[in-house]
Amino acid sequence: MRVVVVCPGRGTYTRTELGSLSHLHPDKADLFARFDARRRALGQDTLADLDGAASYSVARHTRGDNASALIYAASLADVLSLRGVEVVAVTGNSMGWYTALACGGALTADDGFHVVNTMGTLMQGAL
């Protein structure tokens, strides 16, 4: 089966996605830990704290610096979990364009996270 991957933009990590990183992708714990180390070094909430929160908070989870990291991590983990398909193209919508760079192999997972986290942080800082 051949597929096109479309990486989502802002607003796609919602109340229904809360907990999805740990529940759907426990095999990606090392990847998420690397992302968390980067965020911790920057004084940001970790993905583990955000995704593992007791409840979803619009004020917390939709901030540019938090939403971008959550959406990137979830999207990348989904793509890395694909089995039995041939990815023939990768594209993205809005912030998803940056995610598509990593999902398509133009950036490493860590470099993609750096780009997305930087963009989200700059967006949040500009508000």
Side-chain angles (χ1 to χ4, degrees), residues 10 44 63-69 95 114-126:
R10 283 282 308 274
Q44 296 175 311
R63 287 175 49 108
D65 51 345
N66 292 337
S68 59
M95 190 211 81
H114 175 71
V115 169
V116 167
N117 198 59
T118 299
M119 293 301 293
T121 301
L122 290 172
M123 233 173 25
Q124 184 63 33

Side-chain angles (χ1 to χ4, degrees), residues 91-107:
T91 189
N93 172 49
S94 185
M95 190 211 81
W97 186 85
Y98 301 105
T99 303
L101 291 172
C103 291
L107 295 174

Side-chain angles (χ1 to χ4, degrees), residues 35 38 40 47 60 62 71 79 84-85 88 91 98 101 104 109 114-115 117 120-121 123:
F35 297 164
R38 180 180 294 270
R40 197 174 294 109
L47 296 174
R60 183 179 186 206
T62 64
I71 294 164
V79 168
V85 299
V88 296
T91 189
Y98 301 105
L101 291 172
H114 175 71
V115 169
N117 198 59
T121 301
M123 233 173 25

Side-chain angles (χ1 to χ4, degrees), residues 9-33:
R10 283 282 308 274
T12 54
Y13 185 99
T14 65
R15 180 179 317 278
T16 58
E17 282 72 42
L18 187 65
S20 63
L21 295 182
S22 59
H23 291 99
L24 297 177
H25 301 291
D27 59 324
K28 308 292 186 295
D30 291 343
L31 178 68
F32 299 150

Side-chain angles (χ1 to χ4, degrees), residues 34-54:
R34 292 198 315 264
F35 297 164
D36 280 350
R38 180 180 294 270
R39 287 183 59 86
R40 197 174 294 109
L42 295 170
Q44 296 175 311
D45 288 343
T46 63
L47 296 174
D49 288 342
L50 292 164
D51 189 60

